[in-house]
Amino acid sequence: MPGHVGRVALRVTDLDRMAAFYEDVIGLKTLSRDDERAVLGVDDPLLILLRSDRPARGPDETGLFHTAFRVPSRAALGDALNRIESAWRLDGASDHHVSEALYLTDPEENGIEVYCDRPRDEWPTTDDGRVEMDTLPLALAPLRAAADGAGRCPSGTDVGHVHLEVSGLDAARSFYVDGLGLNVRAEMAGALFLATDDYHHHVGCNVWNGRSAPATNRGLAWIELVVDDPAAIRSRVGSVTTRGDGVEVTDPDGITIRLRRA
């Protein structure tokens, strides 16, 4: 089931502040806007939809751990670092073997990763073909030096993966692997990393913060996976809603997944 992540939608409280953050700090462009929502992306691709809605997320609610924006070059990652350090605050930076990543949190406490993949032939793999990821410190000085001064994310930027906070890994595995057909690409204590093909991961799931209540309030509204045949999952999951050229399903924690035809 080859595919990729499409769009991500967030429920927000302060639409003006959030739209400005994703423009000025992340480097996206507002593609459409009204009083209720803002759609941002890079040129034509729509990457994130912000919708004015709902009170703050409760401390026990499952939902978003981070949205991961993938930039196409190390220079673009260096530019992202410069924007974050000049206009916001950096929470962390990691070398994952398969990628180099920067971490921050938006004004309404939604996690964000901005990352650049290493070439696939450099990804370490296990004997059974999975990827070996780690979390090592990332040196920032060389990354700053790689920047080329671009003020926005370049063409080719997309949502590379979405990482979710779930209430249980067994239920998540059953839904995303057995139901949606994703592949387990890596496992570590308290986390699963899943992909529609042999990518390092399109969906991450973790239980690190002990979330247990359904996702209902501010934060993640839905994520979209772009796949060859959305209808193929009908026989493997329970309730399926048809939406245009795809289908919509809900995971065990109330997180909405939209599957759109490539």
Side-chain angles (χ1 to χ4, degrees), residues 98-158:
V98 298
S99 63
E100 294 177 304
L102 306 174
Y103 294 95
L104 64 158
T105 307
D106 77 15
E108 295 189 359
E109 301 301 316
N110 298 293
I112 297 170
E113 176 182 342
V114 183
Y115 75 105
C116 179
D117 279 332
R118 287 203 166 94
R120 287 199 182 210
D121 59 8
E122 296 180 11
W123 295 359
T125 58
T126 62
D127 291 341
D128 61 0
R130 294 186 180 185
V131 291
E132 289 185 325
M133 294 188 287
D134 204 341
T135 301
L136 306 173
L138 178 64
L140 296 182
L143 191 57
R144 293 188 193 100
D148 60 13
R152 297 282 183 197
C153 291
S155 178
T157 300
D158 61 7

Side-chain angles (χ1 to χ4, degrees), residues 40 80 246:
L40 297 97

Side-chain angles (χ1 to χ4, degrees), residues 71-254:
V71 295
S73 68
R74 202 161 192 268
L77 190 63
D79 290 328
L81 175 61
N82 287 340
R83 287 193 301 272
I84 295 165
E85 291 186 321
S86 64
W88 199 244
R89 54 188 177 272
L90 184 70
D91 293 341
S94 298
D95 179 346
H96 294 304
H97 293 320
V98 298
S99 63
E100 294 177 304
L102 306 174
Y103 294 95
L104 64 158
T105 307
D106 77 15
E108 295 189 359
E109 301 301 316
N110 298 293
I112 297 170
E113 176 182 342
V114 183
Y115 75 105
C116 179
D117 279 332
R118 287 203 166 94
R120 287 199 182 210
D121 59 8
E122 296 180 11
W123 295 359
T125 58
T126 62
D127 291 341
D128 61 0
R130 294 186 180 185
V131 291
E132 289 185 325
M133 294 188 287
D134 204 341
T135 301
L136 306 173
L138 178 64
L140 296 182
L143 191 57
R144 293 188 193 100
D148 60 13
R152 297 282 183 197
C153 291
S155 178
T157 300
D158 61 7
V159 178
H161 65 268
V162 178
H163 197 145
L164 306 174
E165 293 188 298
V166 300
S167 60
L169 293 183
D170 288 343
R173 184 193 296 265
S174 177
F175 177 82
Y176 288 98
V177 178
D178 301 333
L180 299 191
L182 274 64
N183 303 313
V184 178
R185 298 293 290 137
E187 296 182 67
M188 62 178 64
L192 282 172
F193 298 91
L194 314 168
T196 64
D197 51 22
D198 61 353
Y199 190 57
H200 55 72
H201 66 299
H202 292 115
V203 177
C205 300
N206 77 66
V207 294
W208 295 330
N209 291 321
R211 305 273 188 171
S212 58
T216 57
N217 287 311
R218 191 175 76 189
L220 185 64
W222 46 263
I223 64 174
E224 179 184 69
L225 297 177
V226 181
V227 299
D228 287 340
D229 187 9
I233 61 94
R234 285 182 179 275
S235 63
R236 301 196 299 266
V237 298
S239 178
V240 175
T241 302
T242 301
R243 292 186 58 89
D245 59 351
V247 298
E248 183 176 285
V249 295
T250 303
D251 86 353
D253 294 301

Side-chain angles (χ1 to χ4, degrees), residues 18-96:
M18 290 286 279
F21 169 87
Y22 281 92
E23 279 200 334
D24 299 339
V25 179
I26 303 305
L28 303 180
K29 180 192 300 183
T30 296
L31 302 175
S32 66
R33 173 72 194 269
D34 59 30
D35 291 341
E36 299 297 324
R37 71 176 200 166
V39 178
L40 297 97
V42 178
D43 299 326
D44 184 42
L46 312 181
L47 301 184
I48 189 163
L49 185 151
L50 307 176
R51 188 176 72 199
S52 182
D53 193 12
R54 307 294 177 96
R57 179 186 180 193
D60 293 332
E61 285 186 34
T62 55
L64 187 67
F65 189 61
H66 61 239
T67 303
F69 296 97
R70 177 175 56 180
V71 295
S73 68
R74 202 161 192 268
L77 190 63
D79 290 328
L81 175 61
N82 287 340
R83 287 193 301 272
I84 295 165
E85 291 186 321
S86 64
W88 199 244
R89 54 188 177 272
L90 184 70
D91 293 341
S94 298
D95 179 346
H96 294 304

